[in-house]
Amino acid sequence: MRNEAIIRKSLAEEVAAAIEEKIKLGDFPLESKLPTEPELMKQFAVGRSTIREAVKYLSQSGYLSVQQGLGTFVKSVIGHHALDAKIEKGNFDDIFEVRHVLELRIIEKAAINRTAKGLKDMAQALKDRRKYAESNNLTACVESDIAFHSAIAESCGNNILTALYTTLSVHVNKFFMSIYKDTSPFLSSQKQHEELMLAIKNKHVKQAVDIANRIIQHI
């Protein structure tokens, strides 16, 4: 009789699975606002950090959409696990090729459709990126970098492109954490990222795409 490894889920993953099930059963209907953190903490008998981690996971999986100042909303009843599984099996060259194509189109559209909120989110992510790069906090720096590019994706005006980029970003995050040992690459590219945001802010489409190409080529 062969042994089979038992994969244990973290508490946050268990809570995420429970929320996912409630979404699929209609207890948390599509486009409805998720209960507040304190309500979820009471409902699942867990702490705030566990709820936040579960919500983050479900946001990355396409089920939820976190809107600053408004709350968290149910975005999908199916998520994008199938796409996640496909990407998981891909190599990083393929992942970055897809990211390159997606990102250039997203940046092109974001330079046309960006909003005041989108620019605010980009600016905050860039501020955090610089802070964590200067303090050599690699994990937080990578998360801030992903947050910056995700804010651009949120501003592109195409929800499907945004969802695809969000899914891809989870795997890009893993790749960055595996290849970088410190934050020096992020420090050296900080100015280019700030120039990218300025081009998007000023609606300079070609300039934004050119800067993005230079950033991607130096990853």
Side-chain angles (χ1 to χ4, degrees):
M1 182 175 174
R2 72 185 175 90
N3 293 326
E4 292 187 7
I6 297 174
I7 300 174
R8 298 186 183 279
K9 289 185 178 180
S10 69
L11 187 55
E13 287 174 327
E14 289 181 3
V15 172
I19 294 175
E20 180 183 326
E21 185 66 17
K22 285 182 174 292
I23 291 172
K24 289 178 177 177
L25 290 173
D27 295 339
F28 296 153
L30 186 64
E31 297 185 359
S32 69
K33 186 176 180 180
L34 209 65
T36 63
E37 280 185 356
E39 290 171 332
L40 290 172
M41 288 162 61
K42 184 177 180 181
Q43 184 171 345
F44 294 104
V46 295
R48 189 180 302 274
S49 62
T50 299
I51 293 298
R52 288 184 174 176
E53 190 64 30
V55 168
K56 179 181 177 182
Y57 174 79
L58 289 170
S59 297
Q60 293 173 337
S61 298
Y63 287 97
L64 301 177
S65 173
V66 179
Q67 300 181 28
Q68 293 297 328
L70 296 176
T72 301
F73 296 83
V74 178
K75 181 178 178 181
S76 170
V77 295
I78 58 174
H80 37 240
H81 287 313
L83 180 58
D84 249 335
K86 180 71 74 174
I87 295 172
E88 193 72 49
K89 293 177 182 177
N91 61 56
F92 284 116
D93 286 340
D94 289 343
I95 290 171
F96 269 82
E97 182 180 2
V98 173
R99 183 196 184 219
H100 190 169
V101 172
L102 267 181
E103 191 150 34
L104 293 181
R105 182 58 176 158
I106 282 169
I107 286 169
E108 184 180 316
K109 291 179 68 64
I112 299 170
N113 299 319
R114 91 287 185 277
T115 62
K117 180 187 178 301
L119 290 171
K120 182 180 178 181
D121 290 344
M122 288 178 223
Q124 183 59 56
L126 269 188
K127 182 179 177 182
D128 292 341
R129 187 184 189 276
R130 175 183 286 278
K131 177 178 70 174
Y132 292 125
E134 289 176 345
S135 63
N136 200 30
N137 185 335
L138 182 60
T139 300
C141 184
V142 169
E143 288 180 354
S144 298
D145 181 80
I146 297 295
F148 171 68
H149 290 282
S150 295
I152 295 175
E154 289 284 351
S155 301
C156 80
N158 184 317
N159 291 334
I160 296 174
L161 281 176
T162 302
L164 286 170
Y165 191 83
T166 299
T167 304
L168 212 59
S169 292
V170 177
H171 302 275
V172 172
N173 188 324
K174 291 178 185 177
F175 178 62
F176 281 167
M177 292 304 298
S178 71
I179 66 169
Y180 293 133
K181 304 306 176 187
D182 58 42
T183 59
S184 55
F186 297 90
L187 270 175
S188 64
S189 65
Q190 180 70 21
K191 184 180 178 182
Q192 285 182 318
H193 280 72
E194 291 169 357
E195 290 172 349
L196 174 59
M197 194 192 94
L198 185 61
I200 291 172
K201 180 180 179 180
N202 293 332
K203 295 193 172 185
H204 294 162
V205 179
K206 185 178 183 304
Q207 184 182 8
V209 171
D210 288 344
I211 294 169
N213 262 317
R214 291 201 302 271
I215 290 173
I216 292 168
Q217 286 166 8
H218 286 88
I219 288 175

